[in-house]
Amino acid sequence: MLSPEREPILYVEPLPSSKQWIAQNLVPSRAKAVTYAQSLFPILTWIYRYNWTWFLGDMVAGVTVGVVVIPQGMAYAKLAQLPPEFGLYSSFVGCALYFMFATSKDITIGPVAVMSTLMGNILHDVLPHLPQYQDTPWVVAGCMSVVLGCIVTALGLLRLGFIVDFIPLPAIAAFMTGSALNIAMGQIPTLMGNNSVKGFNTRAPTYLVFGNFFKYIKHCNLNAAVGLTSLFLLYAIRAGCKYAARRWPKREKLFFFISTLRTAFVILLYTLISFLVNRNHRTSPKFSILGVVPRGFKHMQVPTVSSDILSAVAGKLPSAIIVLIIEHISISKSFGRINNYTINPNQELIAIGITNIFGPFFGAYPATGSFSRTAIKSKAGVRTPLAGVITACIVVIAIYALPPVFFYISNALLAAVIIHAVGDLVSTPTAIKMFWHISPFEFVIFWAGVLVSIFSSIDNGIYTTVAASAALLLFRIAKAQGKFVGTVRVVYDQPDAVAASNTAESRDIFVPLDHSDGSNPSVTPQHPQGGIFIYRLNEGYLYPNAVHFTDHMIAEVTTRTRPGVANPYGSLGNRPWNDPGPRHKDDTNIDMSLPVLRALILDFNGVSNVDITSIQNLVDVRKQLDRYADRAVSWHFAGVKSPWIRRALVAGGFGSSNTATRTVFSVATVGALEHKGDQPLSETLSASNRVQHAPDEEFISDSFTSTQDKPQVDNSTSFDTLPLPILSADHPFFHIDLDEALKAAKLESDVVSK
């Protein structure tokens, strides 16, 4: 037994209060306010360290992306049902503003295929209801951009970036794949030249565009020659560079830049061909060309945000917000992992929000992060977000210097550029196969999203995958099922050590009785005896799954135990109508070999939150089992992780009773300094606490489970220990782990039996 001065000092945990939570989480301190303000401008954390090495890397990456974004921007503007110069405006604003708010060095903001297609579909749907903007659709696009920017910025400022995590990878993959197929199929008629046939709507659902393409295939013309050969050349250059990089790995960087610049090379080549063919046919070219692109920023103006536009586009905002967010955040997170840095989703929302708010002042339409250009920027060796400014300078040069060249760019060539770019968005067979092996349910969701995108629209595909993923999440939460566990005595498998010492360290572990965790079925866990049950909750204990958890627990407990009395109702008239069994119950109707229920141990290690409904459910179940056992059943809780969960359980009447005291509890033996004469150990410990960081002293911590058989202490040693309890003494039914809880339940059961 421990000597009196070594008896554990009682510890009483102060339960958290709402006032405390508000002070810690809702009322910002001065330091938190300053940190929040500084976090809005991440550039302040690195700009003062900028150097020539970083500049050279940013210069190469910025120029490379600039060469790529110019043709892509004009092509994507066509997808958005806007003149090509608006793609250049969007490219400039996205690159010029992002660096100030960026937490990703790789991401490139600008026009992208999916957002542009969605914007084009929105304009196609709302312009008939807004005839005053038929000739100026960019006004509607600018209004959309401002509204989207304000909403996304608000999400970032309120630190709601975590909502992106509710959209799982299969939903994103389905959205990207369906969008890519939709975009590519919509561009094939332009590639082949039969898109101008009257009645051919290339913005119809993908399956209709596919059927109508073959219906009008006889109308294909010279555009097909330009489109098919340029598309073939784009893929040929990429494949050739990949092969050459493997064949000559020392020149891999050279082949990377050749592959990256293939779009610019192909456009220059076919623009030269177009010039030679059409220079004498400017008014009636031999094949479709881009035409006049105005020089400079011709559409700079204050964006129009009017009630008629807002009412027309209101129903389209949710899908646009989802596209804007998930494209950018998923891309930035992905490249952050690849390049070993962490992005701040909230700050990224602010970045794309600010970009879209100010973009329409320069004529831009909604923009977000681009996968293809981000990949190029990353591989080109970008060092900081400032590379975007260099890209913006390249775009400005193009806006003012290259419009005469843009006149001869073939529309079929731009369609080939789009098809080539979106091809990388389609999920690979390997990825789809992985979905099946990991989660067949999400595999079905993936294909549902793709098929809806093909047979309906991108918007509906987005809603389908998000809704189906949310439904699956709720189903998994609601149908979470706890497991009854038993003990298994194990030893560490260290053959050499065991052979040397003939001893092996052993301990008890707790595994499901039904081996549902995949444990070896040849190993039989020992079920606790004496009417004690250990029930493990594997999910948060919340209102969707509270009843499901406890129904399973009650069914198993009542099967493995006998009721406290055979007929607790007395007369037949007091017996409930749904109570099964013979008409007159007595002890002969009960299996007396079964124990009476005495204690329940709930493993809360996997429980992160509880709520009012779940706690009330526990209260109701406790009353039900008390009536069943005809006695007060003890409820023990192991591994409760949060003071707020303990507070909720205490409010429900759990954790303690009027008679119970803590008989088994875990304590930490804290090493104290050497005694000074007759000085009590507690005073010695206090003195050591004041100087415990002195370099010539040691602070030792160990832990053991204290029971009635407490460890003996050697009084001859010059150092002594003081046992300090881990958990609060006023709640004896809260335990540090299952081993302590089981010992406490057994000890209590033995005392009651006596």
Side-chain angles (χ1 to χ4, degrees):
M1 300 292 290
L2 289 173
S3 61
E5 73 170 355
R6 296 188 189 91
E7 289 294 334
I9 297 175
L10 293 181
Y11 162 69
V12 177
E13 177 191 16
L15 293 177
S17 65
S18 300
K19 182 179 179 180
Q20 175 186 352
W21 185 89
I22 292 173
Q24 292 178 349
N25 296 278
L26 297 183
V27 180
S29 63
R30 181 183 179 87
K32 288 182 179 180
V34 172
T35 302
Y36 176 80
Q38 291 175 341
S39 71
L40 299 179
F41 299 94
I43 187 175
L44 299 177
T45 64
W46 57 265
I47 191 63
Y48 63 89
R49 294 183 284 113
Y50 202 79
N51 54 69
W52 283 106
T53 302
W54 290 4
F55 175 75
L56 292 177
D58 290 344
M59 174 66 75
V60 173
V63 171
T64 304
V65 174
V67 173
V68 173
V69 75
I70 293 169
Q72 280 192 353
M74 292 189 294
Y76 294 157
K78 301 282 284 183
L79 286 178
Q81 298 286 284
L82 296 171
E85 61 267 23
F86 286 90
L88 299 176
Y89 303 155
S90 298
S91 301
F92 163 75
V93 176
C95 295
L97 294 182
Y98 175 68
F99 78 99
M100 291 186 291
F101 309 97
T103 61
S104 169
K105 69 180 179 65
D106 300 297
I107 200 78
T108 299
I109 293 183
V112 296
V114 178
M115 190 70 225
S116 297
T117 301
L118 188 61
M119 190 71 246
N121 293 339
I122 292 173
L123 293 178
H124 181 268
D125 293 339
V126 305
L127 284 179
H129 306 288
L130 300 170
Q132 65 273 34
Y133 300 113
Q134 286 284 356
D135 298 328
T136 55
W138 51 85
V139 175
V140 179
C143 178
M144 277 280 294
S145 182
V146 171
V147 173
L148 292 174
C150 290
I151 295 173
V152 174
T153 301
L155 293 176
L157 291 173
L158 295 174
R159 296 302 190 244
L160 297 177
F162 66 89
I163 61 175
V164 181
D165 297 332
F166 285 95
I167 304 177
L169 177 60
I172 296 175
F175 150 68
M176 300 298 284
T177 300
S179 300
L181 295 175
N182 183 291
I183 294 167
M185 191 63 243
Q187 289 302 301
I188 287 177
T190 304
L191 183 86
M192 302 297 291
N194 64 346
N195 60 310
S196 58
V197 177
K198 186 177 181 180
F200 192 174
N201 179 16
T202 59
R203 294 195 170 272
T206 305
Y207 78 100
L208 289 178
V209 177
F210 179 81
N212 288 331
F213 168 73
F214 288 100
K215 179 180 179 180
Y216 298 112
I217 196 170
K218 62 181 179 180
H219 296 283
C220 294
N221 50 36
L222 189 59
N223 287 282
V226 176
L228 289 175
T229 55
S230 59
L231 184 61
F232 171 79
L233 189 56
L234 287 169
Y235 278 106
I237 294 174
R238 185 172 74 172
C241 289
K242 284 185 177 180
Y243 172 79
R246 292 193 302 268
R247 181 68 176 80
W248 297 284
K250 293 183 179 180
R251 299 181 180 179
E252 181 179 3
K253 199 73 172 179
L254 172 64
F255 293 119
F256 160 73
F257 281 107
I258 294 175
S259 178
T260 297
L261 299 176
R262 65 186 180 275
T263 301
F265 168 74
V266 171
I267 284 183
L268 289 176
L269 173 63
Y270 279 84
T271 300
L272 176 60
I273 294 173
S274 176
F275 170 73
L276 296 176
V277 172
N278 296 310
R279 59 181 175 175
N280 296 322
H281 308 279
R282 290 174 61 91
T283 57
S284 56
K286 298 296 183 179
F287 48 81
S288 177
I289 58 177
L290 202 57
V292 177
V293 176
R295 188 190 305 271
F297 292 90
K298 298 297 185 182
H299 299 280
M300 291 185 67
Q301 61 182 357
V302 176
T304 301
V305 181
S306 60
S307 59
D308 55 343
I309 297 178
L310 292 178
S311 60
V313 302
K316 307 292 183 179
L317 289 176
S319 59
I321 292 172
I322 293 173
V323 171
L324 207 67
I325 291 176
I326 65 175
E327 270 209 88
H328 184 93
I329 300 300
S330 61
I331 292 170
S332 58
K333 280 186 175 181
S334 174
F335 281 90
R337 288 190 292 266
I338 292 172
N339 295 311
N340 196 29
Y341 64 87
T342 303
I343 64 111
N344 182 345
N346 296 308
Q347 187 59 32
E348 290 299 315
L349 292 181
I350 293 173
I352 57 176
I354 295 296
T355 299
N356 283 285
I357 289 174
F358 288 98
F361 288 86
F362 295 86
Y365 67 93
T368 188
S370 165
F371 176 81
S372 61
R373 296 194 296 274
T374 298
I376 291 171
K377 191 176 180 182
S378 176
K379 292 181 181 179
V382 64
R383 303 302 296 270
T384 73
L386 202 62
V389 176
I390 299 171
T391 300
C393 293
I394 299 297
V395 175
V396 170
I397 293 173
I399 290 174
Y400 281 94
L402 298 181
V405 178
F406 296 155
F407 180 89
Y408 290 100
I409 293 179
S410 166
N411 284 319
L413 172 61
L414 291 179
V417 169
I418 293 172
I419 294 172
H420 183 65
V422 301
D424 293 332
L425 301 181
V426 178
S427 297
T428 63
T430 302
I432 298 173
K433 184 179 179 181
M434 182 187 69
F435 293 164
W436 170 256
H437 286 300
I438 295 175
S439 175
F441 288 111
E442 292 180 286
F443 175 82
V444 173
I445 291 176
F446 167 82
W447 280 113
V450 172
L451 292 176
V452 171
S453 297
I454 291 174
F455 288 94
S456 182
S457 66
I458 295 176
D459 311 46
N460 292 334
I462 295 171
Y463 296 143
T464 298
T465 53
V466 171
S469 298
L472 179 61
L473 175 64
L474 292 175
F475 178 82
R476 286 172 169 170
I477 294 174
K479 293 300 180 181
Q481 186 170 329
K483 298 295 179 182
F484 284 91
V485 299
T487 59
V488 174
R489 176 57 61 95
V490 298
V491 296
Y492 294 108
D493 187 12
Q494 297 176 310
D496 295 338
V498 173
S501 63
N502 293 324
T503 60
E505 183 180 353
S506 64
R507 60 191 175 96
D508 286 335
I509 63 171
F510 296 83
V511 298
L513 297 173
D514 59 0
H515 299 283
S516 58
D517 61 344
S519 55
N520 189 345
S522 300
V523 178
T524 303
Q526 297 299 313
H527 191 290
Q529 302 299 314
I532 300 173
F533 292 83
I534 306 175
Y535 190 59
R536 175 174 292 162
L537 283 72
N538 300 314
E539 296 276 354
Y541 184 54
L542 302 168
Y543 70 90
N545 57 26
V547 174
H548 192 70
F549 269 130
T550 53
D551 281 353
H552 175 242
M553 180 181 70
I554 293 170
E556 183 71 13
V557 166
T558 53
T559 300
R560 291 177 173 268
T561 60
R562 57 184 171 85
V565 294
N567 186 10
Y569 311 110
S571 66
L572 187 62
N574 292 330
R575 182 175 173 181
W577 63 272
N578 60 343
D579 183 25
R583 180 177 178 84
H584 297 285
K585 283 187 175 183
D586 53 34
D587 291 345
T588 60
N589 304 122
I590 300 176
D591 185 355
M592 298 303 292
S593 64
L594 296 176
V596 176
L597 176 62
R598 295 187 181 276
L600 277 170
I601 302 173
L602 297 186
D603 183 359
F604 263 45
N605 276 288
V607 177
S608 57
N609 287 289
V610 297
D611 56 26
I612 295 174
T613 305
S614 60
I615 295 298
Q616 183 60 48
N617 180 257
L618 276 185
V619 172
D620 295 339
V621 171
R622 178 177 59 185
K623 294 177 181 178
Q624 178 182 354
L625 292 180
D626 285 351
R627 290 194 301 267
Y628 169 77
D630 196 35
R631 52 167 287 132
V633 177
S634 296
W635 288 69
H636 297 260
F637 297 84
V640 179
K641 300 298 185 184
S642 166
W644 288 96
I645 297 179
R646 284 193 286 273
R647 168 178 155 149
L649 291 170
V650 169
F654 296 97
S656 62
S657 68
N658 296 329
T659 58
T661 59
R662 186 177 286 279
T663 56
V664 179
F665 52 91
S666 295
V667 300
T669 57
V670 181
L673 294 178
E674 186 178 3
H675 284 269
K676 297 179 181 179
D678 296 330
Q679 183 180 11
L681 179 61
S682 58
E683 294 183 14
T684 305
L685 180 64
S686 299
S688 71
N689 285 339
R690 290 195 296 271
V691 295
Q692 65 183 20
H693 296 293
D696 59 341
E697 296 169 359
E698 292 184 359
F699 187 80
I700 306 169
S701 178
D702 196 3
S703 61
F704 63 88
T705 300
S706 174
T707 64
Q708 289 181 326
D709 298 326
K710 296 177 181 177
Q712 299 294 325
V713 178
D714 184 4
N715 292 325
S716 65
T717 182
S718 59
F719 287 83
D720 216 329
T721 58
L722 181 66
L724 299 178
I726 302 296
L727 295 181
S728 179
D730 59 343
H731 298 122
F733 294 116
F734 293 154
H735 305 279
I736 195 68
D737 57 19
L738 285 176
D739 189 55
E740 177 190 312
L742 181 57
K743 290 178 180 178
K746 286 182 177 179
L747 182 60
E748 181 186 24
S749 179
D750 292 341
V751 171
V752 172
S753 298
K754 293 178 182 179

